[in-house]
Amino acid sequence: MERLGPDTPPDRAGAEGSESIRRANRLRLVSALRRLGPMSRIEAARHCGLSPATITLIAAELQRAGILVEGERTERGTGPGRPRRRLGLAPGRAEVAAAAVTHRGIGFARADFALSRIERWQTRPELGTMDTRELAEHVVAAFDRKPDVLVLGVQGAVANDGRSIVWSPALPGASGALAGAIEARGFPYVTVDNDCALIAGILPREIEGLNPPFCAVLASYGIGAAVVGAEGIMRGARSSAFELGHVPYRPDGRKCRCGRRGCVEAYAADYA
């Protein structure tokens, strides 16, 4: 969304500000249902920190869009009125998939919209020799049907538009417009991001009480970090930029998997 500035007309600022609030509240409700499962509107209001009236309006909008469905009735409460119905996510609304690209291979996951059915599998291609076209073809071939959304998490720097890999130690020959190459093979929507940035981005939705600013550090097959501020993941001018694992630690030190020497990752990753 275009950033509002000091010269933005008041009526436009008000409209865009209201839409931003509505979008945030919709996301809050969907995240709560995904994390906690079906619940009544009263329960949703309590978990989301919103009024029952606001939840009712949001739920009606999302039901019209086919995102929410009403399920079985809950037990009648002590007060007057009809038994409450539980709200839940519509499993068939969309199918989403993710792929994590690491030195060890590519881990895939696919789920329905409600996360009630999750499939996982892995492939182990020779990533070090692949170019962008070959990687795109491998990803496409890994699916027996095309998901509505595919998110790829990769080590390294990724362009801020979510379309291209700038540099990745796991994919030395595959820098370039990976998202477009996969979409050209029939996938409706593909986005690419740094693996640690993807993890950090969802942490506030999954961990109650975790609010920006904070820094998330990933220490496993590599070392990654992402800083989350009030406006989201902090990035460089053109890319994800923050490569903690490849900050020089010791001149002429141990050899890192990226090909250089003395990187933090060479001393702190699981292979060190």
Side-chain angles (χ1 to χ4, degrees), residues 176-262:
L178 179 60
I182 296 174
E183 288 176 348
R185 289 159 173 81
F187 278 49
Y189 180 83
V190 180
T191 187
V192 185
D193 206 346
N194 172 266
D195 51 0
C196 192
L198 287 170
I199 295 170
I202 67 167
L203 288 179
R205 305 179 203 169
E206 300 299 321
I207 302 177
E208 189 173 352
L210 178 63
N211 298 304
F214 66 87
C215 178
V217 177
L218 173 66
S220 60
Y221 48 79
I223 302 296
V227 178
V228 182
E231 296 185 0
I233 303 294
M234 299 180 70
R235 302 178 186 272
R238 297 183 179 85
S239 72
S240 52
F242 191 32
E243 280 299 300
L244 176 63
H246 302 287
V247 171
Y249 172 59
R250 287 188 177 177
D252 298 320
R254 293 179 187 172
K255 188 171 183 180
C256 178
R257 282 195 294 206
C258 73
R260 292 178 287 197
R261 288 190 173 274

Side-chain angles (χ1 to χ4, degrees), residues 4-77:
L4 300 178
D7 298 323
T8 304
D11 57 342
R12 183 176 162 211
E16 292 200 16
S18 297
E19 176 55 33
S20 177
I21 292 171
R22 285 194 295 270
R23 187 182 302 115
N25 288 341
R26 289 193 295 265
L27 179 59
R28 191 178 300 182
L29 175 57
V30 169
S31 296
L33 292 171
R34 182 165 286 139
R35 186 174 67 253
L36 302 172
M39 65 183 77
S40 70
R41 289 167 176 79
I42 295 295
E43 292 170 325
R46 185 170 65 251
H47 286 296
C48 295
L50 300 171
S51 70
T54 298
I55 289 293
T56 297
L57 290 172
I58 296 171
E61 179 183 345
L62 295 179
Q63 282 181 278
R64 288 193 295 270
I67 293 172
L68 297 189
V69 293
E70 280 193 333
E72 73 279 3
R73 296 179 186 273
T74 63
E75 293 294 327
R76 184 186 293 274

Side-chain angles (χ1 to χ4, degrees), residues 94-100 107-113 115 117-119 121 139 142-143 145-153 187 189-191 198:
E95 189 171 68
V96 296
F108 294 91
R110 177 168 56 194
D112 61 28
F113 190 68
L115 299 185
R117 174 183 52 79
I118 302 177
E119 306 168 67
W121 67 99
V139 170
F143 289 89
R145 60 183 182 275
K146 298 177 177 65
D148 298 281
V149 175
L150 172 63
V151 179
L152 290 108
F187 278 49
Y189 180 83
V190 180
T191 187
L198 287 170

